[in-house]
Amino acid sequence: MTTALSAEPGRPGGPPKAGRAEWLILPANFVTYLGNGIQLMGASLLVLEEQGTALSVGWLFIAVAIPQVLLSMIFGRLVDRFDRRVMCLVCDVASAVVALGLPIALALGASAQITAYVVTFALSMIAAGFNPASNALVRERVRYQRLGPFNANFSMSTQAGSLLSAAVGGFLIQIFGLMPMFYFNAVTFAFSAVCWMLLGRKPEASADDAVEDSAQMAATGGPVKRLGLLLAVGSVNITVSNVLLVVLVIQVFKEKPGIFGLVDALAGVGMLIGAAVYKRISHRVSDLTLAAFGFFGNAALIAVEPFHIAGLMVAIPFAAFSFGFAAISSRTLLMRAIEDSRSGRVFGTVNAAGLAAGLVATVSLSYLADHHSVAAAFWALSVLIGVVPLVAIATMRPFYARRELRQQGAEHKAAAGPDTPDIPTTPFPATPGTPDPADPAVAPQPTN
C-alpha cells in the first residue's frame, strides 16, 4: 500500500526523522504504562490479601473495563471539539490526584478493598477520556509519513513499561512494600503531565507543512469501519489471552506463578522484537500485507500453545512477534485512513468496541474452557483471530490496489511532465478481443 507521495513503502529513502512531539509522547506513554501496571498489581494484592479469592481480583479488572466501554465513545466526541494536548494534561493531573488518594485513604484507616475498587474505577473513567485524546494527539502532531515508525516505537514503549511494571514493580513491592509504589504511580502521572506541558501548542504550519498536508489529504481515506475492526480484534486477543494463559499455566500445566511470569515476559520480548523488525521493513512492505501476516501467524501459533508447557514457551514469543506486526499495522492503517478532525471519536469508538467485545469473548471462551477444555478455548480464539481479520483484509485489498495505481499514475505524470497522458487507473485488464483505440492498426484515420 502506498500512503504518501514521498518516502513510501516500497521506495528508497524511508520516512523522515522523528520530530520533537515524538520525543515527548513516547516517554509519557512509557511512564504511564509503568505506573498503571504497578498500581494495578498493588491494588490486586490489596484485594487478594483482604478477600483471598480470585473472583475479588476479577472484579477489579471488570472495574477497569466497564467505564471505558461506557464512556470512550462520549469522550471521543469531546476530544474532537477541544484541545487534545490540554485534555491529556487535565487527565494526567486528575489521575495523579486520584492515585495519590489511595495511599492517603489507607493511611487514614479506610477499607483496603473498597478503596482499591473506587480508585481503580476512577482511574479507568479518566482513562476513557485520555485514550482517545492521546491517540488523536498522535494523529495531530506526528507527521503522516512517520506514523508507521512512531507506532512501532509507541508499541515498544508500551511493552517496556508493562514488562518493567511486572518485574521491577514486584521486586520493589517486596522490598519497600505497597505504599511507596502507590505514591510512585502518582509521580508517573505527574511526569506525563510535564511532557504534555513541554509539548506546547501546535506550531503554525510552514510552507513545507502545507505541501505535506495536501499530500496527506490525497492519501487519507479508506474503509474505516473494517480497519477499526482489525484494531478491535487485536484488543480482544489481548484480553482473552491474558485470562486463558493464567488458567493454562497454573491449572492445566500445574506450574508455579513464576513460570507464568516467565511466559508473560517472553510474550513481551516477542512484541518488542516484532516492533523493532516492523520499523526495518515497513517502508518496503505494505501495512495491509504485514497485518495479514501478523494475524495469520498469531492465530496459527495460538493453536499449538495448549499442548505442553515447553511448546507454549517456544511458541509464545513468536506468537507475540506476529501479533506485534498485526497491532502496529492495524493502528497505522486506521490513523492514515481518518481525518484529524474526527480521530477522537473514531479511536473512542474502537476502544469501547474492542473492550466490550473482549468482555463478551472472555466470558464465552471461559465458559468453553470450564465446560469442555482449555485447549478448545484456545482453538476457538485461534479461529476468531485468524478468520475475522483475514476476511476483512481480503475485502480491503481492491481498494488499496486501486489507490496504489492512481498514485503511481500521478507520480508518473509528475515525473514526465504536465502534458503526459494519464496511465490507466483501473487494475483490471481490458476484455480479451476488444480492439484498443490506441493501436495504430485500429485507430480511426484522419480525413482530408
Side-chain angles (χ1 to χ4, degrees), residues 264-413:
D264 191 53
L266 288 172
V269 170
M271 281 282 290
L272 284 171
I273 296 174
V277 173
Y278 173 91
K279 289 173 59 180
R280 303 285 296 180
I281 68 174
S282 60
H283 66 282
R284 295 192 297 269
V285 184
S286 74
D287 280 303
L288 204 65
T289 299
L290 293 175
F293 164 79
F295 280 114
F296 176 80
N298 183 239
L301 288 162
I302 285 175
V304 304
E305 289 176 356
F307 290 105
H308 193 274
I309 184 63
L312 172 64
M313 298 183 73
V314 170
I316 199 162
F318 293 99
F321 174 88
S322 300
F323 181 71
F325 279 83
I328 298 169
S329 298
S330 300
R331 178 179 164 88
T332 302
L333 284 166
L334 183 59
M335 281 191 167
R336 286 175 169 164
I338 57 177
E339 300 86 356
D340 177 45
S341 60
R342 66 189 189 105
S343 54
R345 73 186 69 179
V346 170
F347 276 101
T349 301
V350 170
N351 185 50
L355 288 171
L359 290 176
V360 173
T362 298
V363 173
S364 302
L365 295 185
S366 297
Y367 182 86
L368 181 63
D370 291 338
H371 293 81
H372 193 276
S373 69
V374 175
F378 269 84
W379 296 332
L381 177 63
S382 174
V383 172
L384 175 66
I385 300 302
V387 173
V388 175
L390 292 180
V391 169
I393 290 171
T395 64
M396 289 188 282
R397 282 201 174 277
F399 168 83
Y400 286 107
R402 288 192 297 270
R403 190 165 80 174
E404 172 81 14
L405 203 61
R406 286 196 302 270
Q407 189 161 322
Q408 288 177 354
E411 292 172 352
H412 171 78
K413 186 174 182 178

Side-chain angles (χ1 to χ4, degrees), residues 97-393:
V97 173
V98 171
L100 197 60
L102 194 152
I104 292 176
L106 293 178
L108 294 175
S111 166
Q113 181 183 5
I114 295 176
T115 303
Y117 284 139
V118 170
V119 169
T120 300
F121 188 84
L123 288 174
S124 182
M125 289 183 64
I126 299 171
F130 179 81
N131 286 336
S134 59
N135 279 293
L137 187 64
V138 169
R139 180 64 181 84
E140 174 187 294
R141 298 296 183 95
V142 177
R143 297 179 64 182
Y144 187 89
Q145 297 167 358
R146 283 286 310 168
L147 285 174
F150 171 81
N151 283 328
N153 291 332
F154 191 86
S155 176
M156 292 172 72
S157 68
T158 299
Q159 292 305 313
S162 300
L163 284 174
L164 285 176
S165 70
V168 178
F171 180 73
L172 293 178
I173 287 173
Q174 184 172 346
I175 295 177
F176 300 107
L178 283 175
M179 292 304 107
M181 294 301 99
F182 290 132
Y183 287 110
F184 175 75
N185 184 38
V187 172
T188 63
F189 284 119
F191 177 88
S192 181
V194 171
C195 290
W196 305 130
M197 293 176 64
L198 295 175
L199 183 60
R201 296 181 179 180
K202 186 177 181 180
E204 296 293 333
S206 64
D208 292 338
D209 292 334
V211 173
E212 184 179 347
D213 287 343
S214 64
Q216 292 180 20
M217 290 302 296
T220 298
V224 173
K225 292 181 180 179
R226 281 171 284 176
L227 293 174
L229 176 64
L230 297 185
L231 207 59
V233 169
S235 177
V236 171
N237 184 25
I238 293 174
T239 303
V240 177
S241 294
N242 286 338
V243 174
L244 293 182
L245 281 173
V246 174
V247 179
L248 181 67
V249 174
I250 304 299
Q251 292 189 356
V252 177
F253 293 152
K254 308 297 183 182
E255 299 291 344
K256 296 180 179 179
I259 297 299
F260 174 74
L262 180 59
V263 168
D264 191 53
L266 288 172
V269 170
M271 281 282 290
L272 284 171
I273 296 174
V277 173
Y278 173 91
K279 289 173 59 180
R280 303 285 296 180
I281 68 174
S282 60
H283 66 282
R284 295 192 297 269
V285 184
S286 74
D287 280 303
L288 204 65
T289 299
L290 293 175
F293 164 79
F295 280 114
F296 176 80
N298 183 239
L301 288 162
I302 285 175
V304 304
E305 289 176 356
F307 290 105
H308 193 274
I309 184 63
L312 172 64
M313 298 183 73
V314 170
I316 199 162
F318 293 99
F321 174 88
S322 300
F323 181 71
F325 279 83
I328 298 169
S329 298
S330 300
R331 178 179 164 88
T332 302
L333 284 166
L334 183 59
M335 281 191 167
R336 286 175 169 164
I338 57 177
E339 300 86 356
D340 177 45
S341 60
R342 66 189 189 105
S343 54
R345 73 186 69 179
V346 170
F347 276 101
T349 301
V350 170
N351 185 50
L355 288 171
L359 290 176
V360 173
T362 298
V363 173
S364 302
L365 295 185
S366 297
Y367 182 86
L368 181 63
D370 291 338
H371 293 81
H372 193 276
S373 69
V374 175
F378 269 84
W379 296 332
L381 177 63
S382 174
V383 172
L384 175 66
I385 300 302
V387 173
V388 175
L390 292 180
V391 169
I393 290 171

